[in-house]
């Protein structure tokens, strides 16, 4: 368990909580953490950072500060501090080392108090580059060709935590121009992008994804981004928008690219609508990158292993995507219209040179970007 920097001595408990939080945020940013977990137990507030996809425990605050720390974060996030029985969400902005840092907060009641998770959203525009996401050269060509289309549906698929949001925002950053009207519908907005119209859905007030999309179609859009296609109504509106002169980007939760076509069928889209609207599907996972300072190649093998040094976390530093990129070709449209199952579509994709997620990952392992173990853990056969 690595310690947090010790805050300066403060006399009042409320001030101690403020100083401790400042030290917490500074430490999280220095460690390049993506999330901060504050978990209340009977006698302690457990603190953990998610770094490169893995949780690392940190030293907890003094027991008497537990409730004050939680309340302080709720106040900063715009939550109701009197409400302790229901989940709440919020956003906060703090200053760390003279830089503004935005965080998304999620609060959930548990047996011993309220559990808080803070998602750190310190992403600068220069970090939103498609060329840093891990696409192979042939895959990047397909992605850029799809983004150059005047209309169509581009889908990014994968489980929670696979980097779909980063990919979507990188695509928007690539397209962002004063000559193009770009609007997004999100739940919630993850990153604020200058020059792009961003909408937070509010299901309680009746502003859902489908309602927002319909309204945006009357706003003369060129590019639309839907945070997630969750239901048949949203899928139908997105597909129709893609067929009527708009480029639409969105996400789905599927295991691989071919499965996204089946998922759209399950949501009620006809095969003809899928074939005529979808232009590209990108499935992805995140794997940890080997530390360039200490990685070692195994003797007489095209394999590398993590070693570990003072500049990394157990031999790894940072993460990169592995991708399966499936373009909608005339042959694939014909297959889809003939009613074949997802296995047949997957076989067709492989025969036409589409890398599976594991194949894309093993290539990165062979050239020393990651390890075979990381790829096996992140992908199916």
């Amino acid at each position: 368990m690595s310690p947090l920097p010790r805050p300066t001595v403060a006399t009042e408990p409320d001030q101690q909580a403020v100083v401790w939080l400042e030290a917490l945020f500074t430490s999280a940013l220095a460690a390049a953490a993506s999330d901060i977990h504050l978990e209340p137990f009977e006698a302690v507030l457990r603190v953990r950072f998610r770094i490169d996809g893995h949780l690392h425990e940190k030293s907890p605050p003094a027991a008497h500060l537990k409730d004050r720390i939680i309340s302080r974060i709720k106040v900063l996030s715009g939550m109701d501090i009197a409400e302790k029985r229901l989940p709440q969400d919020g956003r906060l902005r703090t200053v760390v080392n003279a830089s503004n840092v935005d965080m998304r907060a999620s609060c959930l009641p548990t047996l011993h108090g309220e559990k808080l998770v803070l998602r750190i959203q310190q992403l600068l525009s220069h970090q939103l580059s498609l060329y840093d996401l891990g696409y192979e050269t042939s895959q990047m060509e397909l992605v850029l060709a799809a983004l150059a289309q005047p209309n169509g549906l581009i889908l990014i698929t994968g489980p929670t935590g696979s980097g779909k949001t980063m990919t979507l925002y990188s695509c928007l950053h690539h397209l962002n121009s004063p000559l193009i009207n770009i609007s997004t519908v999100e739940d919630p907005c993850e990153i604020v992008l200058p020059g792009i119209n961003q909408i937070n859905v509010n299901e309680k007030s009746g502003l859902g994804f489908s309602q927002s999309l319909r309204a945006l179609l009357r706003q003369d859009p060129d590019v639309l981004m839907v945070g997630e296609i969750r239901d048949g109504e949203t899928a139908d509106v997105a597909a129709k928008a893609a067929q009527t002169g708009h480029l639409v980007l969105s996400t789905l939760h599927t295991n691989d690219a071919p499965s996204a076509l089946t998922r759209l069928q399950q949501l009620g889209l006809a095969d003809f609508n899928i074939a005529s609207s979808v232009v590209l599907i990108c499935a992805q996972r995140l794997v940890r990158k080997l530390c360039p300072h200490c990685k070692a190649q195994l003797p007489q093998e095209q394999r590398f292993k993590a070693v570990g040094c003072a500049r990394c976390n157990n031999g790894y530093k940072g993460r990169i995507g592995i991708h399966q990129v499936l373009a909608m070709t005339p042959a694939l449209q014909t297959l889809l219209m003939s009613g074949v199952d997802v296995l047949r579509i997957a076989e067709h994709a492989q025969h036409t040179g589409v890398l599976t997620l594991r194949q894309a990952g093993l290539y990165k392992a062979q050239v020393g970007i990651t390890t075979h173990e990381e790829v096996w853990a992140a992908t199916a056969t």
Side-chain angles (χ1 to χ4, degrees):
M1 184 188 302
S2 55
L4 292 170
R6 290 194 174 276
T8 56
V9 176
T11 55
E12 296 295 330
D14 286 340
Q15 182 60 25
Q16 290 177 3
V18 171
V19 174
W20 187 87
L21 270 178
E22 290 176 353
L24 177 78
F25 294 154
T26 301
S27 180
L29 265 293
S34 61
D35 302 85
I36 302 171
H37 290 244
L38 301 175
E39 303 163 304
F41 292 94
E42 189 170 6
V44 68
L45 181 68
R46 183 166 70 173
V47 180
R48 295 192 288 179
F49 292 169
R50 187 173 294 281
I51 304 170
D52 296 339
H54 290 244
L55 287 170
H56 300 263
E57 191 164 0
K58 304 296 177 179
S59 56
H64 72 282
L65 296 179
K66 180 174 74 169
D67 293 337
R68 287 181 168 86
I69 289 169
I70 298 299
S71 295
R72 173 68 178 169
I73 295 175
K74 290 177 69 176
V75 169
L76 293 174
S77 305
M79 299 182 193
D80 182 358
I81 61 171
E83 179 57 75
K84 300 184 178 181
R85 299 169 299 173
L86 297 173
Q88 296 187 70
D89 293 301
R91 299 176 68 94
L92 67 93
R93 171 170 286 186
T94 187
V95 178
V96 178
N97 296 329
S99 298
N100 289 328
V101 179
D102 292 319
M103 302 186 193
R104 192 180 77 195
S106 173
C107 181
L108 181 69
T110 67
L111 184 63
H112 297 292
E114 293 173 286
K115 177 181 184 290
L116 272 164
V117 176
L118 300 170
R119 167 65 56 89
I120 300 173
Q121 297 169 328
Q122 192 198 30
L123 291 171
L124 305 176
S125 60
H126 67 77
Q127 294 176 290
L128 296 173
S129 171
L130 284 171
Y131 298 94
D132 296 332
L133 299 181
Y135 287 110
E136 305 302 332
T137 302
S138 59
Q139 295 175 333
M140 178 59 73
E141 291 173 354
L142 293 174
V143 172
L144 293 176
L147 290 173
Q149 296 295 316
N151 59 275
L153 179 59
I154 298 174
L155 293 171
I156 311 298
T157 78
T160 301
S162 60
K164 299 188 299 296
T165 298
M166 173 66 89
T167 300
L168 277 181
Y169 279 106
S170 297
C171 290
L172 292 179
H173 179 66
H174 176 81
L175 293 169
N176 197 6
S177 162
L179 304 177
I180 299 176
N181 180 15
I182 303 177
S183 297
T184 74
V185 184
E186 306 169 68
D187 184 21
C189 293
E190 299 271 0
I191 306 167
V192 177
L193 291 178
I196 292 179
N197 306 288
Q198 296 175 268
I199 298 172
N200 264 330
V201 302
N202 188 338
E203 298 287 355
K204 291 182 179 179
S205 66
L207 184 65
F209 280 111
S210 58
Q211 294 87 349
S212 300
L213 265 178
R214 286 193 177 92
L216 282 174
L217 288 174
R218 298 190 289 271
Q219 295 275 314
D220 186 30
D222 297 302
V223 177
L224 294 169
M225 189 271 269
V226 186
E228 181 183 347
I229 294 179
R230 298 177 178 175
D231 52 57
E233 188 178 9
T234 304
D236 182 63
V237 177
K240 288 177 179 175
Q243 293 170 324
T244 54
H246 308 91
L247 186 63
V248 182
L249 290 76
S250 191
T251 69
L252 278 176
H253 288 280
T254 63
N255 290 328
D256 56 18
S259 298
L261 299 172
T262 303
R263 179 61 181 146
L264 291 175
Q265 292 171 332
Q266 293 171 344
L267 289 172
L269 286 189
D271 291 342
F272 171 80
N273 285 332
I274 298 172
S276 59
S277 59
V278 174
V279 295
L280 192 77
I281 304 171
C282 300
Q284 65 183 61
R285 298 291 189 277
L286 289 178
V287 294
R288 290 183 294 174
K289 293 194 296 183
L290 280 166
C291 173
H293 303 288
C294 64
K295 67 179 179 182
Q297 185 171 1
L298 297 175
Q300 299 179 343
E301 291 187 54
Q302 192 64 27
R303 292 182 61 176
F304 293 78
K305 68 175 182 178
V307 178
C309 67
R311 289 180 278 191
C312 65
N313 294 300
N314 300 318
Y316 297 95
K317 190 171 182 62
R319 290 191 291 176
I320 195 167
I322 54 176
H323 306 269
Q324 180 186 33
V325 180
L326 178 64
M328 182 62 75
T329 61
L332 186 55
Q333 287 177 323
T334 302
L335 273 179
L336 187 61
M337 295 287 289
S338 66
V340 300
D341 59 23
V342 67
L343 292 177
R344 179 70 184 89
I345 292 174
E347 289 174 1
H348 168 79
Q350 280 202 275
H351 290 155
T352 56
V354 176
L355 296 175
T356 66
L357 285 166
R358 175 158 288 185
Q359 287 170 339
L362 289 176
Y363 173 77
K364 283 185 168 56
Q366 289 168 1
V367 297
I369 296 173
T370 186
T371 61
H372 285 70
E373 290 76 15
E374 279 290 297
V375 175
W376 291 329
T379 63
T381 54

